[in-house]
Every structure is written in C-alpha cells, then in structure tokens.
Amino acid sequence: MPLTRFKDRLRVPPVLRPTCDRQRSPATLAVHMVAHRVRLHSELPPTDVWTYEGHLPGPTIEVRRGQHVRVEWINALPVRRPYPVTAFTAEDPAADAAPDQIPQNLPGRGRGRVNEAVAALRPWTVVHLHGGRVAAGYDGWTENGAASGQTILGDYSNDQRAALLWYHDHAMGITRFNVYSGLAGLWIIRDAEEEALGLPAGRYEIPLLIQDRNLDTTPNGDLTGRLLHKVEDNTMEFFGPFTMVNGTIWPHLPVESRQYRLRVLNGSNARTYRLVLLDGNGRSVTGAIRQIGTDGGLLARPVSIPPAGLVLAPAERADLLVDFRPFRGERLRLVNTAGSPFDGSPSNQAPGTPDPTNRLPYPDVMEFRVSGQRVNDTFVLPERLASFRGAACCARRRGGWHAHAPRARTGQRVRGTPDAAHDRGHR
Ligand SMILES: [Cu+2]
C-alpha cells in the first residue's frame, strides 16, 4: 500500500449560494479558475492543481429551482507555469505480464512516452453544467473557450427538478486533462417537493465526488504528488490506482449513528464503480443503503441497491440514504468491485479484495467511522418521494434526456442516452 488508507478526514467543499442585491434578478456569481497546491493525502507533497476558487473540488453551488443565476467564469489560470498534469502513454504490458505489472496499476511513468502536446498546453477552458437544462448559448460548447484573462458568462434558469448536477471543464479535445487537473464542482438544485420530505440535511447530507488518479514518482519510486494521466497504448482510457473522494485519497468520515443522505457523483474520466458497503468483518451491509434519486432528481419511490453493488458510470449521480444506526462504534468500508474497462461482468471474488488483473489494485474508496454514541433519529423515509406529472411527455419532447421512467422502475442506470454520449467525450 503506497499510502495509508483512511488516514485523512474527508473534506466537504464550501457552499456558494448566489444571492441578488436589492432583489434584482438574476443573482450573480463570479467564479475564478485559479492554480493552487493541495495535499491529496497527508503523506504526499503538495500537488499542483487547477481549481475553481482555490478549492478541490470547486465550491458547491446551491440554488433554488427556478432561481435565475448568472455566473462569470473567470479564467485566472497562469500562462507561464507548466500544465499541472503529465500525460503519458505507457507501453502495453507483455502478454505474460503479472497483474501487478499492468502499467496503469502502478504509480510513476515506467516505459513509454510523455505527450509533449499536453505539456505545452496553455490554460484554455470552458465550463459545462452537466445535467442542467441550459439555453444552447450557455451550455459550455467545447469550442466556446476562454484563454487566461478572459471571462465566459453562463446564464442558468435552473428550471428543473431538485437534483445533483455538476459543473466541469469542457474544452475541445482536452476536457479529460482539464477535468483531471481539478476543474470540477457540484451544483445542487433544491425545490419544495424535496424539502417536504424532511430528508437528512446540513451536516447529515454529504456530497461524495469520486475520482481515480495516478501520481508521478521520483527515480527512486517515491510519490512526487504530481498528477500523472497514464494510459496504455491499447487501452487508451485512463484508469488510476488511487481513489480520491472530494479531493482526498482514501479518506475517512466520522459519522453519527443515524441516517445520512449521501450525494454521490462519479467524476472519473473513464472508471466505472460498483459500490459495496462492508462491515468490519468484510460482510456486505449494502442493504443499509436505499437509493432515493439519480441524475434527474428524486425517484418516485426508494429502491434497494442490487446485492452486487451500485453501478455508477462516469458523470452519473446517485442520491443515497444510508442508515448507520445498526453500526454503532463500527468502521464501514465503501469499496469498488468493478474491473476496468468495465463490461458489466460480476466480480468473481469477495468485495474489497484487490483485482489487479482488472485494473483494480486498491478497491477501497473511503471509510465511515460510526460513533458509539446512541442518537435519537426519528426520521422515517417516505415510501413516496416524487411525482412525475408531465415527465413522460417532457422527456419525449427533449429526446429522452432524463429517462426517469426506466430508472424509477429498476434503480439501474440507463445506457445510450444523449447524456451518456456526452460522457464519452470526457475521455
Ligand atoms: Cu459532463
């Protein structure tokens, strides 16, 4: 294990709530893209990252449904400093290579070549609000880019159901590198229907942005902290050995013995996760989780997580209610059982076991440390969460963008939507 698991505490990004002066509409917000140095793990030197407002992930922007918000996305990234990511194409592993010699399982470069075009990149950015119903001109089209010193105006009506969206860089041809450098953040829409449910809120509602990363090494093999985007000639997609949650590798979160709402986003470029919750004995306690929402907002009813785990492809979101009450004083591990590239295959080993053959050398995502103290938590999850009046015709008119109905039935993700096609563009 190159870094101690669960050593650092999970960070939660600060929240920005746009307000308007003197009741003028729309509310405005200025968000600066700036270079920053962040420790991804306390055992690492600081890492050069690009951020929104100096936070990794960027600040969470929280709005009301229908609240008209204008954002000035200001590119204040440095022109004269090196690009914060080293892009590297490793030689394919030999046919008889041991699983632990698969290049993407290993930190550092190994044999291969640096992508000099990426090393020479200048900060060129555009912001896309993923999942947002946005007028075309403000949708963050990939060629609508801003150089350092320039500003892009975003105009967001937020006229859609309460949901977890995310904003991220979208620049033509280099989205994967810019997002990898740190340019991603969450965007939460609230509405009355959601609030009427009385779901766990405040410090009991935790966003979890999951991203895999790789890091460069010194000639001695020590981790430098520098972001390394290492692919293999034949794989091409990026799969990294380290899992970051909210910008920290393998964090832990102290929780009370009560119910929590977890807003999960897979913000990885290509890795799919199949999330399983394990107790201290390595037994799956995934049954303690109910899924209450997906990309488009709340489900009609809560659903159970499939016994094999919750599958989340890149850019997908899951709104989860987790009941920690049965686990007073215990430590629970959230682990990934999906191999990469993911083809839907079931895992043929116990959850939480490394699977380097399938580019899963470290299955851990994070740890929950449940307090031993008894808490009076009287919240009862309603069996009816949301209504979908008009959703079907709306979805048809808009080309099935949100695909509520199939998700509501199965709790599984839906393939082949326009959104999924967009996601493939992240790579
Ligand atoms: Cu996206």
Side-chain angles (χ1 to χ4, degrees):
M1 189 69 56
L3 294 167
T4 307
R5 288 176 311 165
F6 316 136
K7 185 173 181 191
D8 300 328
R9 187 180 169 131
L10 180 88
R11 288 181 288 116
V12 174
V15 177
L16 292 180
R17 291 184 183 87
T19 50
C20 39
D21 291 338
R22 299 186 291 276
Q23 298 304 308
R24 255 191 315 191
S25 182
T28 56
L29 209 57
V31 177
H32 301 78
M33 290 166 236
V34 291
H36 199 54
R37 308 196 82 199
V38 172
R39 267 182 219 277
L40 306 184
H41 189 288
S42 57
E43 292 165 0
L44 284 174
T47 293
D48 283 316
V49 290
W50 283 358
T51 68
Y52 296 105
E53 289 292 320
H55 295 284
L56 184 79
T60 300
I61 297 173
E62 194 176 307
V63 301
R64 302 279 313 166
R65 177 176 186 159
Q67 185 186 359
H68 185 188
V69 174
R70 273 201 190 132
V71 182
E72 288 175 24
W73 302 104
I74 301 158
N75 182 338
L77 294 163
V79 178
R80 268 177 257 287
R81 270 193 258 164
Y83 194 74
V85 176
T86 298
F88 188 83
T89 304
E91 288 178 15
D92 284 321
D96 59 349
D100 60 0
Q101 295 304 310
I102 291 177
Q104 288 198 96
N105 287 339
L106 302 168
R109 303 180 190 190
R111 290 152 64 98
R113 58 188 189 279
V114 171
N115 185 332
E116 297 295 348
V118 173
L121 279 174
R122 291 287 170 271
W124 188 74
T125 63
V126 58
V127 184
H128 171 64
L129 178 59
H130 188 121
R133 192 179 284 172
V134 177
Y138 300 110
D139 201 33
W141 286 357
T142 55
E143 289 178 316
N144 205 9
S148 183
Q150 295 182 325
T151 296
I152 300 172
L153 186 67
D155 188 286
Y156 306 99
S157 64
N158 296 300
D159 185 16
Q160 63 191 83
R161 302 173 61 225
L164 174 63
L165 317 179
W166 64 305
Y167 60 96
H168 64 75
D169 192 78
H170 212 218
M172 185 68 175
I174 56 170
T175 291
R176 63 195 183 283
F177 302 118
N178 279 354
V179 173
Y180 195 84
S181 79
L183 292 174
L186 304 174
W187 182 292
I188 295 178
I189 299 178
R190 308 278 186 196
D191 70 9
E193 182 178 53
E194 175 198 44
E195 275 158 7
L197 299 171
L199 294 165
R203 64 182 193 275
Y204 306 121
E205 180 188 14
I206 311 282
L208 301 176
L209 197 172
I210 304 176
Q211 296 168 305
D212 61 342
R213 289 292 181 269
N214 204 340
L215 300 168
D216 211 348
T217 54
T218 64
N220 299 334
D222 296 330
L223 295 169
T224 64
R226 182 168 170 84
L227 289 171
L228 178 69
H229 186 282
K230 179 162 71 170
V231 296
E232 293 157 27
D233 250 337
N234 267 335
T235 309
M236 289 314 293
E237 293 178 304
F238 172 83
F239 303 111
F242 304 108
T243 303
M244 243 170 33
V245 187
N246 296 352
T248 299
I249 295 171
W250 300 321
H252 74 266
L253 177 68
V255 293
E256 295 175 23
S257 163
R258 53 173 293 144
Q259 297 165 91
Y260 278 74
R261 183 182 186 189
L262 304 182
R263 315 288 303 263
V264 187
L265 160 66
N266 177 2
S268 308
N269 282 5
R271 186 182 285 276
T272 294
Y273 296 80
R274 184 169 47 209
L275 298 171
V276 172
L277 190 64
L278 302 178
D279 71 7
N281 298 314
R283 273 190 309 252
S284 172
V285 290
T286 311
I289 308 175
R290 308 214 68 202
Q291 184 169 7
I292 61 172
T294 64
D295 300 6
L298 290 168
L299 294 165
R301 303 188 163 72
V303 294
S304 301
I305 303 299
L310 173 73
V311 175
L312 269 192
E316 287 188 321
R317 286 85 73 198
D319 199 344
L320 305 176
L321 196 91
V322 184
D323 189 354
F324 290 113
R325 285 174 298 186
F327 308 108
R328 273 194 299 130
E330 288 191 53
R331 294 186 173 194
L332 307 182
R333 286 162 74 200
L334 189 66
V335 300
N336 177 21
T337 69
S340 287
F342 184 65
D343 61 1
S345 300
S347 176
N348 48 18
Q349 53 186 13
T353 312
D355 185 8
T357 308
N358 294 305
R359 293 183 181 77
L360 187 64
Y362 309 111
D364 292 292
V365 176
M366 65 176 290
E367 183 184 66
F368 297 97
R369 298 182 179 170
V370 188
S371 160
Q373 222 143 37
R374 200 180 289 276
V375 177
N376 184 27
D377 175 6
T378 55
F379 174 71
V380 177
L381 181 62
E383 273 308 305
R384 187 85 201 156
L385 297 171
S387 60
F388 295 93
R389 266 180 312 215
C393 70
C394 171
R396 250 199 313 280
R397 201 168 54 236
R398 292 172 196 275
W401 233 77
H402 292 295
H404 296 301
R407 279 170 184 276
R409 259 201 310 275
T410 64
Q412 295 289 298
R413 65 206 179 85
V414 179
R415 291 170 194 276
T417 60
D419 220 16
H422 159 78
D423 299 341
R424 280 192 289 276
H426 290 182
R427 295 171 195 180

